[in-house]
mmCIF file of all heavy atoms in Angstrom:
data_model
loop_
_atom_site.group_PDB
_atom_site.id
_atom_site.type_symbol
_atom_site.label_atom_id
_atom_site.label_comp_id
_atom_site.label_asym_id
_atom_site.label_seq_id
_atom_site.Cartn_x
_atom_site.Cartn_y
_atom_site.Cartn_z
ATOM 1 N N THR H 1 108.154 85.541 93.534
ATOM 2 C CA THR H 1 107.380 85.396 94.766
ATOM 3 C C THR H 1 106.263 86.434 94.822
ATOM 4 O O THR H 1 105.108 86.106 95.128
ATOM 5 C CB THR H 1 108.292 85.511 95.999
ATOM 6 O OG1 THR H 1 109.301 84.503 95.924
ATOM 7 C CG2 THR H 1 107.512 85.347 97.290
ATOM 8 N N GLY H 2 106.597 87.684 94.509
ATOM 9 C CA GLY H 2 105.575 88.732 94.507
ATOM 10 C C GLY H 2 104.475 88.450 93.505
ATOM 11 O O GLY H 2 103.284 88.630 93.792
ATOM 12 N N THR H 3 104.847 87.969 92.325
ATOM 13 C CA THR H 3 103.864 87.662 91.280
ATOM 14 C C THR H 3 102.953 86.516 91.707
ATOM 15 O O THR H 3 101.736 86.571 91.496
ATOM 16 C CB THR H 3 104.579 87.336 89.955
ATOM 17 O OG1 THR H 3 105.356 88.484 89.568
ATOM 18 C CG2 THR H 3 103.597 86.998 88.858
ATOM 19 N N LEU H 4 103.523 85.475 92.314
ATOM 20 C CA LEU H 4 102.696 84.362 92.802
ATOM 21 C C LEU H 4 101.661 84.852 93.814
ATOM 22 O O LEU H 4 100.491 84.449 93.769
ATOM 23 C CB LEU H 4 103.568 83.288 93.456
ATOM 24 C CG LEU H 4 104.354 82.379 92.533
ATOM 25 C CD1 LEU H 4 105.311 81.501 93.339
ATOM 26 C CD2 LEU H 4 103.421 81.513 91.699
ATOM 27 N N LEU H 5 102.097 85.719 94.716
ATOM 28 C CA LEU H 5 101.178 86.222 95.736
ATOM 29 C C LEU H 5 100.072 87.086 95.142
ATOM 30 O O LEU H 5 98.934 87.071 95.619
ATOM 31 C CB LEU H 5 101.953 87.024 96.787
ATOM 32 C CG LEU H 5 102.811 86.187 97.731
ATOM 33 C CD1 LEU H 5 103.870 87.034 98.404
ATOM 34 C CD2 LEU H 5 101.930 85.495 98.758
ATOM 35 N N LEU H 6 100.387 87.844 94.109
ATOM 36 C CA LEU H 6 99.422 88.776 93.526
ATOM 37 C C LEU H 6 98.495 88.136 92.489
ATOM 38 O O LEU H 6 97.499 88.740 92.099
ATOM 39 C CB LEU H 6 100.159 89.954 92.888
ATOM 40 C CG LEU H 6 100.885 90.871 93.866
ATOM 41 C CD1 LEU H 6 101.767 91.859 93.127
ATOM 42 C CD2 LEU H 6 99.895 91.593 94.775
ATOM 43 N N THR H 7 98.813 86.927 92.047
ATOM 44 C CA THR H 7 98.011 86.272 91.014
ATOM 45 C C THR H 7 96.871 85.497 91.667
ATOM 46 O O THR H 7 97.102 84.531 92.390
ATOM 47 C CB THR H 7 98.893 85.330 90.167
ATOM 48 O OG1 THR H 7 99.992 86.097 89.644
ATOM 49 C CG2 THR H 7 98.106 84.721 89.024
ATOM 50 N N PRO H 8 95.631 85.940 91.424
ATOM 51 C CA PRO H 8 94.485 85.364 92.140
ATOM 52 C C PRO H 8 94.285 83.859 91.954
ATOM 53 O O PRO H 8 93.820 83.188 92.866
ATOM 54 C CB PRO H 8 93.278 86.114 91.566
ATOM 55 C CG PRO H 8 93.830 87.334 90.937
ATOM 56 C CD PRO H 8 95.236 87.014 90.529
ATOM 57 N N PHE H 9 94.625 83.297 90.793
ATOM 58 C CA PHE H 9 94.363 81.874 90.577
ATOM 59 C C PHE H 9 95.465 80.968 91.120
ATOM 60 O O PHE H 9 95.349 79.752 91.067
ATOM 61 C CB PHE H 9 94.093 81.572 89.093
ATOM 62 C CG PHE H 9 95.210 81.956 88.167
ATOM 63 C CD1 PHE H 9 96.311 81.142 87.986
ATOM 64 C CD2 PHE H 9 95.154 83.160 87.470
ATOM 65 C CE1 PHE H 9 97.332 81.497 87.135
ATOM 66 C CE2 PHE H 9 96.168 83.524 86.607
ATOM 67 C CZ PHE H 9 97.271 82.694 86.437
ATOM 68 N N VAL H 10 96.542 81.529 91.657
ATOM 69 C CA VAL H 10 97.582 80.708 92.289
ATOM 70 C C VAL H 10 97.050 80.269 93.655
ATOM 71 O O VAL H 10 96.655 81.104 94.472
ATOM 72 C CB VAL H 10 98.912 81.493 92.440
ATOM 73 C CG1 VAL H 10 99.920 80.709 93.262
ATOM 74 C CG2 VAL H 10 99.482 81.833 91.066
ATOM 75 N N PRO H 11 97.013 78.960 93.910
ATOM 76 C CA PRO H 11 96.468 78.476 95.178
ATOM 77 C C PRO H 11 97.210 79.033 96.393
ATOM 78 O O PRO H 11 98.421 79.303 96.334
ATOM 79 C CB PRO H 11 96.656 76.956 95.095
ATOM 80 C CG PRO H 11 96.815 76.658 93.641
ATOM 81 C CD PRO H 11 97.457 77.872 93.035
ATOM 82 N N ALA H 12 96.484 79.174 97.476
ATOM 83 C CA ALA H 12 97.053 79.698 98.718
ATOM 84 C C ALA H 12 98.268 78.889 99.157
ATOM 85 O O ALA H 12 99.273 79.447 99.600
ATOM 86 C CB ALA H 12 95.995 79.705 99.822
ATOM 87 N N PHE H 13 98.182 77.570 99.030
ATOM 88 C CA PHE H 13 99.285 76.716 99.446
ATOM 89 C C PHE H 13 100.556 77.048 98.672
ATOM 90 O O PHE H 13 101.637 77.170 99.248
ATOM 91 C CB PHE H 13 98.929 75.235 99.247
ATOM 92 C CG PHE H 13 100.054 74.313 99.589
ATOM 93 C CD1 PHE H 13 100.267 73.941 100.899
ATOM 94 C CD2 PHE H 13 100.913 73.836 98.610
ATOM 95 C CE1 PHE H 13 101.332 73.096 101.237
ATOM 96 C CE2 PHE H 13 101.972 73.003 98.936
ATOM 97 C CZ PHE H 13 102.179 72.633 100.252
ATOM 98 N N VAL H 14 100.452 77.217 97.358
ATOM 99 C CA VAL H 14 101.616 77.487 96.508
ATOM 100 C C VAL H 14 102.192 78.866 96.822
ATOM 101 O O VAL H 14 103.400 79.023 97.026
ATOM 102 C CB VAL H 14 101.241 77.369 95.014
ATOM 103 C CG1 VAL H 14 102.386 77.807 94.117
ATOM 104 C CG2 VAL H 14 100.818 75.945 94.691
ATOM 105 N N ALA H 15 101.334 79.877 96.864
ATOM 106 C CA ALA H 15 101.798 81.234 97.157
ATOM 107 C C ALA H 15 102.395 81.303 98.561
ATOM 108 O O ALA H 15 103.443 81.923 98.779
ATOM 109 C CB ALA H 15 100.642 82.224 97.018
ATOM 110 N N GLY H 16 101.750 80.653 99.511
ATOM 111 C CA GLY H 16 102.238 80.651 100.888
ATOM 112 C C GLY H 16 103.561 79.927 101.038
ATOM 113 O O GLY H 16 104.444 80.373 101.770
ATOM 114 N N ALA H 17 103.711 78.805 100.335
ATOM 115 C CA ALA H 17 104.974 78.062 100.407
ATOM 116 C C ALA H 17 106.122 78.890 99.839
ATOM 117 O O ALA H 17 107.222 78.914 100.408
ATOM 118 C CB ALA H 17 104.849 76.736 99.659
ATOM 119 N N ALA H 18 105.866 79.590 98.729
ATOM 120 C CA ALA H 18 106.908 80.448 98.148
ATOM 121 C C ALA H 18 107.282 81.564 99.113
ATOM 122 O O ALA H 18 108.469 81.852 99.323
ATOM 123 C CB ALA H 18 106.432 81.026 96.815
ATOM 124 N N LEU H 19 106.288 82.195 99.708
ATOM 125 C CA LEU H 19 106.558 83.286 100.649
ATOM 126 C C LEU H 19 107.268 82.775 101.900
ATOM 127 O O LEU H 19 108.218 83.403 102.383
ATOM 128 C CB LEU H 19 105.255 83.991 101.029
ATOM 129 C CG LEU H 19 105.383 85.150 102.015
ATOM 130 C CD1 LEU H 19 106.325 86.228 101.489
ATOM 131 C CD2 LEU H 19 104.012 85.736 102.327
ATOM 132 N N ALA H 20 106.846 81.635 102.414
ATOM 133 C CA ALA H 20 107.475 81.076 103.614
ATOM 134 C C ALA H 20 108.934 80.718 103.344
ATOM 135 O O ALA H 20 109.815 81.010 104.166
ATOM 136 C CB ALA H 20 106.702 79.845 104.102
ATOM 137 N N LYS H 21 109.207 80.119 102.211
ATOM 138 C CA LYS H 21 110.589 79.750 101.873
ATOM 139 C C LYS H 21 111.456 80.996 101.717
ATOM 140 O O LYS H 21 112.569 81.062 102.234
ATOM 141 C CB LYS H 21 110.622 78.920 100.597
ATOM 142 C CG LYS H 21 112.008 78.464 100.223
ATOM 143 C CD LYS H 21 111.999 77.545 99.037
ATOM 144 C CE LYS H 21 113.442 77.139 98.739
ATOM 145 N NZ LYS H 21 113.540 76.107 97.751
ATOM 146 N N PHE H 22 110.946 81.983 101.008
ATOM 147 C CA PHE H 22 111.694 83.221 100.799
ATOM 148 C C PHE H 22 111.980 83.915 102.138
ATOM 149 O O PHE H 22 113.114 84.286 102.426
ATOM 150 C CB PHE H 22 110.900 84.148 99.871
ATOM 151 C CG PHE H 22 111.584 85.447 99.600
ATOM 152 C CD1 PHE H 22 112.651 85.516 98.718
ATOM 153 C CD2 PHE H 22 111.180 86.600 100.240
ATOM 154 C CE1 PHE H 22 113.303 86.716 98.476
ATOM 155 C CE2 PHE H 22 111.815 87.800 100.003
ATOM 156 C CZ PHE H 22 112.878 87.861 99.128
ATOM 157 N N SER H 23 110.964 84.066 102.964
ATOM 158 C CA SER H 23 111.159 84.765 104.233
ATOM 159 C C SER H 23 112.009 83.947 105.208
ATOM 160 O O SER H 23 112.762 84.514 105.998
ATOM 161 C CB SER H 23 109.827 85.154 104.859
ATOM 162 O OG SER H 23 109.009 84.026 105.077
ATOM 163 N N ALA H 24 111.945 82.634 105.138
ATOM 164 C CA ALA H 24 112.800 81.801 105.997
ATOM 165 C C ALA H 24 114.273 82.023 105.663
ATOM 166 O O ALA H 24 115.123 82.059 106.556
ATOM 167 C CB ALA H 24 112.433 80.328 105.857
ATOM 168 N N GLY H 25 114.577 82.186 104.379
ATOM 169 C CA GLY H 25 115.953 82.491 103.986
ATOM 170 C C GLY H 25 116.414 83.828 104.544
ATOM 171 O O GLY H 25 117.546 83.964 105.023
ATOM 172 N N LEU H 26 115.533 84.818 104.522
ATOM 173 C CA LEU H 26 115.876 86.128 105.075
ATOM 174 C C LEU H 26 116.071 86.057 106.589
ATOM 175 O O LEU H 26 116.991 86.656 107.142
ATOM 176 C CB LEU H 26 114.787 87.149 104.743
ATOM 177 C CG LEU H 26 114.634 87.493 103.270
ATOM 178 C CD1 LEU H 26 113.385 88.338 103.045
ATOM 179 C CD2 LEU H 26 115.864 88.206 102.748
ATOM 180 N N LEU H 27 115.196 85.308 107.249
ATOM 181 C CA LEU H 27 115.323 85.175 108.705
ATOM 182 C C LEU H 27 116.555 84.356 109.087
ATOM 183 O O LEU H 27 117.172 84.603 110.123
ATOM 184 C CB LEU H 27 114.054 84.571 109.299
ATOM 185 C CG LEU H 27 112.849 85.520 109.261
ATOM 186 C CD1 LEU H 27 111.586 84.771 109.639
ATOM 187 C CD2 LEU H 27 113.068 86.715 110.168
ATOM 188 N N GLY H 28 116.935 83.399 108.244
ATOM 189 C CA GLY H 28 118.177 82.669 108.476
ATOM 190 C C GLY H 28 119.368 83.601 108.407
ATOM 191 O O GLY H 28 120.301 83.506 109.215
ATOM 192 N N MET H 29 119.341 84.522 107.462
ATOM 193 C CA MET H 29 120.408 85.518 107.346
ATOM 194 C C MET H 29 120.426 86.396 108.597
ATOM 195 O O MET H 29 121.485 86.681 109.151
ATOM 196 C CB MET H 29 120.215 86.383 106.101
ATOM 197 C CG MET H 29 121.336 87.355 105.856
ATOM 198 S SD MET H 29 121.127 88.287 104.332
ATOM 199 C CE MET H 29 119.653 89.216 104.692
ATOM 200 N N TYR H 30 119.265 86.787 109.069
ATOM 201 C CA TYR H 30 119.153 87.580 110.299
ATOM 202 C C TYR H 30 119.795 86.830 111.469
ATOM 203 O O TYR H 30 120.587 87.394 112.217
ATOM 204 C CB TYR H 30 117.668 87.851 110.582
ATOM 205 C CG TYR H 30 117.360 88.291 111.989
ATOM 206 C CD1 TYR H 30 117.624 89.588 112.388
ATOM 207 C CD2 TYR H 30 116.802 87.413 112.905
ATOM 208 C CE1 TYR H 30 117.336 90.000 113.673
ATOM 209 C CE2 TYR H 30 116.509 87.812 114.193
ATOM 210 C CZ TYR H 30 116.773 89.108 114.579
ATOM 211 O OH TYR H 30 116.493 89.504 115.861
ATOM 212 N N TRP H 31 119.474 85.557 111.605
ATOM 213 C CA TRP H 31 119.973 84.782 112.738
ATOM 214 C C TRP H 31 121.476 84.530 112.646
ATOM 215 O O TRP H 31 122.174 84.524 113.655
ATOM 216 C CB TRP H 31 119.228 83.456 112.841
ATOM 217 C CG TRP H 31 119.594 82.722 114.080
ATOM 218 C CD1 TRP H 31 120.341 81.592 114.171
ATOM 219 C CD2 TRP H 31 119.275 83.103 115.416
ATOM 220 N NE1 TRP H 31 120.490 81.231 115.486
ATOM 221 C CE2 TRP H 31 119.842 82.156 116.276
ATOM 222 C CE3 TRP H 31 118.564 84.154 115.980
ATOM 223 C CZ2 TRP H 31 119.723 82.218 117.656
ATOM 224 C CZ3 TRP H 31 118.437 84.219 117.351
ATOM 225 C CH2 TRP H 31 119.017 83.267 118.172
ATOM 226 N N ARG H 32 121.999 84.364 111.434
ATOM 227 C CA ARG H 32 123.412 84.022 111.255
ATOM 228 C C ARG H 32 124.343 85.237 111.203
ATOM 229 O O ARG H 32 125.557 85.059 111.227
ATOM 230 C CB ARG H 32 123.589 83.239 109.953
ATOM 231 C CG ARG H 32 122.936 81.892 109.985
ATOM 232 C CD ARG H 32 122.944 81.273 108.607
ATOM 233 N NE ARG H 32 122.293 79.983 108.651
ATOM 234 C CZ ARG H 32 122.662 78.964 107.922
ATOM 235 N NH1 ARG H 32 123.657 79.066 107.067
ATOM 236 N NH2 ARG H 32 122.030 77.831 108.015
ATOM 237 N N THR H 33 123.785 86.422 111.104
ATOM 238 C CA THR H 33 124.625 87.616 110.978
ATOM 239 C C THR H 33 124.860 88.223 112.350
ATOM 240 O O THR H 33 123.915 88.674 113.012
ATOM 241 C CB THR H 33 123.977 88.654 110.042
ATOM 242 O OG1 THR H 33 123.760 88.048 108.768
ATOM 243 C CG2 THR H 33 124.858 89.879 109.876
ATOM 244 N N PRO H 34 126.124 88.243 112.782
ATOM 245 C CA PRO H 34 126.432 88.819 114.099
ATOM 246 C C PRO H 34 125.996 90.287 114.167
ATOM 247 O O PRO H 34 126.105 91.034 113.200
ATOM 248 C CB PRO H 34 127.956 88.719 114.184
ATOM 249 C CG PRO H 34 128.337 87.661 113.195
ATOM 250 C CD PRO H 34 127.309 87.736 112.104
ATOM 251 N N GLY H 35 125.464 90.641 115.302
ATOM 252 C CA GLY H 35 125.064 92.024 115.532
ATOM 253 C C GLY H 35 123.636 92.339 115.145
ATOM 254 O O GLY H 35 123.141 93.424 115.432
ATOM 255 N N MET H 36 122.947 91.410 114.495
ATOM 256 C CA MET H 36 121.556 91.683 114.121
ATOM 257 C C MET H 36 120.576 91.365 115.244
ATOM 258 O O MET H 36 119.472 91.896 115.262
ATOM 259 C CB MET H 36 121.165 90.925 112.857
ATOM 260 C CG MET H 36 121.721 91.537 111.612
ATOM 261 S SD MET H 36 120.712 91.056 110.210
ATOM 262 C CE MET H 36 121.481 92.024 108.943
ATOM 263 N N HIS H 37 120.984 90.460 116.131
ATOM 264 C CA HIS H 37 120.123 90.169 117.276
ATOM 265 C C HIS H 37 120.960 90.175 118.540
ATOM 266 O O HIS H 37 122.186 90.026 118.507
ATOM 267 C CB HIS H 37 119.383 88.833 117.102
ATOM 268 C CG HIS H 37 120.289 87.656 116.898
ATOM 269 N ND1 HIS H 37 120.816 86.936 117.928
ATOM 270 C CD2 HIS H 37 120.772 87.106 115.769
ATOM 271 C CE1 HIS H 37 121.578 85.981 117.455
ATOM 272 N NE2 HIS H 37 121.559 86.058 116.128
ATOM 273 N N LYS H 38 120.285 90.393 119.646
ATOM 274 C CA LYS H 38 120.977 90.448 120.937
ATOM 275 C C LYS H 38 121.549 89.068 121.251
ATOM 276 O O LYS H 38 120.916 88.047 120.966
ATOM 277 C CB LYS H 38 120.000 90.901 122.023
ATOM 278 C CG LYS H 38 119.507 92.313 121.783
ATOM 279 C CD LYS H 38 118.436 92.710 122.758
ATOM 280 C CE LYS H 38 117.919 94.105 122.383
ATOM 281 N NZ LYS H 38 116.778 94.494 123.187
ATOM 282 N N PRO H 39 122.746 89.009 121.820
ATOM 283 C CA PRO H 39 123.379 87.718 122.123
ATOM 284 C C PRO H 39 122.462 86.816 122.960
ATOM 285 O O PRO H 39 121.886 87.254 123.944
ATOM 286 C CB PRO H 39 124.632 88.101 122.911
ATOM 287 C CG PRO H 39 124.922 89.513 122.481
ATOM 288 C CD PRO H 39 123.572 90.135 122.220
ATOM 289 N N GLY H 40 122.303 85.585 122.501
ATOM 290 C CA GLY H 40 121.486 84.613 123.220
ATOM 291 C C GLY H 40 119.995 84.902 123.162
ATOM 292 O O GLY H 40 119.229 84.351 123.941
ATOM 293 N N SER H 41 119.563 85.754 122.244
ATOM 294 C CA SER H 41 118.172 86.157 122.174
ATOM 295 C C SER H 41 117.715 86.209 120.713
ATOM 296 O O SER H 41 118.518 86.406 119.810
ATOM 297 C CB SER H 41 118.022 87.553 122.806
ATOM 298 O OG SER H 41 116.737 88.074 122.583
ATOM 299 N N ILE H 42 116.416 86.067 120.507
ATOM 300 C CA ILE H 42 115.863 86.235 119.166
ATOM 301 C C ILE H 42 115.584 87.704 118.862
ATOM 302 O O ILE H 42 115.372 88.070 117.716
ATOM 303 C CB ILE H 42 114.561 85.426 118.973
ATOM 304 C CG1 ILE H 42 113.468 85.914 119.925
ATOM 305 C CG2 ILE H 42 114.819 83.945 119.109
ATOM 306 C CD1 ILE H 42 112.081 85.382 119.602
ATOM 307 N N TRP H 43 115.596 88.547 119.859
ATOM 308 C CA TRP H 43 115.192 89.944 119.694
ATOM 309 C C TRP H 43 116.270 90.750 118.980
ATOM 310 O O TRP H 43 117.450 90.619 119.257
ATOM 311 C CB TRP H 43 114.833 90.561 121.039
ATOM 312 C CG TRP H 43 113.716 89.786 121.679
ATOM 313 C CD1 TRP H 43 113.794 89.041 122.811
ATOM 314 C CD2 TRP H 43 112.388 89.624 121.184
ATOM 315 N NE1 TRP H 43 112.582 88.430 123.059
ATOM 316 C CE2 TRP H 43 111.708 88.770 122.068
ATOM 317 C CE3 TRP H 43 111.707 90.104 120.065
ATOM 318 C CZ2 TRP H 43 110.381 88.406 121.876
ATOM 319 C CZ3 TRP H 43 110.385 89.738 119.881
ATOM 320 C CH2 TRP H 43 109.737 88.893 120.793
ATOM 321 N N PRO H 44 115.823 91.611 118.060
ATOM 322 C CA PRO H 44 116.787 92.339 117.226
ATOM 323 C C PRO H 44 117.502 93.467 117.942
ATOM 324 O O PRO H 44 116.990 94.045 118.900
ATOM 325 C CB PRO H 44 115.908 92.907 116.104
ATOM 326 C CG PRO H 44 114.574 93.068 116.734
ATOM 327 C CD PRO H 44 114.442 91.916 117.707
ATOM 328 N N THR H 45 118.693 93.749 117.439
ATOM 329 C CA THR H 45 119.383 94.986 117.796
ATOM 330 C C THR H 45 118.852 96.046 116.824
ATOM 331 O O THR H 45 118.072 95.744 115.916
ATOM 332 C CB THR H 45 120.902 94.838 117.596
ATOM 333 O OG1 THR H 45 121.141 94.545 116.212
ATOM 334 C CG2 THR H 45 121.486 93.743 118.475
ATOM 335 N N GLN H 46 119.300 97.271 116.979
ATOM 336 C CA GLN H 46 118.893 98.322 116.043
ATOM 337 C C GLN H 46 119.295 97.956 114.614
ATOM 338 O O GLN H 46 118.544 98.187 113.679
ATOM 339 C CB GLN H 46 119.523 99.653 116.457
ATOM 340 C CG GLN H 46 118.890 100.851 115.788
ATOM 341 C CD GLN H 46 117.402 101.018 116.124
ATOM 342 O OE1 GLN H 46 116.969 100.744 117.234
ATOM 343 N NE2 GLN H 46 116.639 101.445 115.150
ATOM 344 N N GLU H 47 120.475 97.345 114.459
ATOM 345 C CA GLU H 47 120.955 96.954 113.128
ATOM 346 C C GLU H 47 120.112 95.842 112.509
ATOM 347 O O GLU H 47 120.030 95.726 111.293
ATOM 348 C CB GLU H 47 122.425 96.509 113.179
ATOM 349 C CG GLU H 47 123.404 97.598 113.547
ATOM 350 C CD GLU H 47 123.458 97.893 115.053
ATOM 351 O OE1 GLU H 47 123.119 97.010 115.874
ATOM 352 O OE2 GLU H 47 123.813 99.023 115.400
ATOM 353 N N GLY H 48 119.510 95.021 113.330
ATOM 354 C CA GLY H 48 118.739 93.888 112.827
ATOM 355 C C GLY H 48 117.259 94.153 112.648
ATOM 356 O O GLY H 48 116.539 93.315 112.108
#
């Protein structure tokens, strides 16, 4: 993912799709892990 973003000839769509997919997985982990966000809220706790 980092290499795609740093390579100038990789189209924006391709680099962006890779970054969006990677970060969506991380945010899914954030949302599914108890204690990372305040109950009933998207806002993080200190741990999140």
Side-chain angles (χ1 to χ4, degrees):
T1 302
T3 300
L4 284 172
L5 287 161
L6 293 170
T7 305
F9 59 82
V10 172
F13 177 83
V14 173
L19 180 58
K21 182 175 180 171
F22 180 76
S23 58
L26 294 171
L27 290 170
M29 185 177 65
Y30 163 77
W31 187 251
R32 293 170 181 215
T33 302
M36 284 204 175
H37 58 87
K38 296 174 184 174
S41 171
I42 63 168
W43 301 113
T45 60
Q46 195 61 36
E47 295 79 24

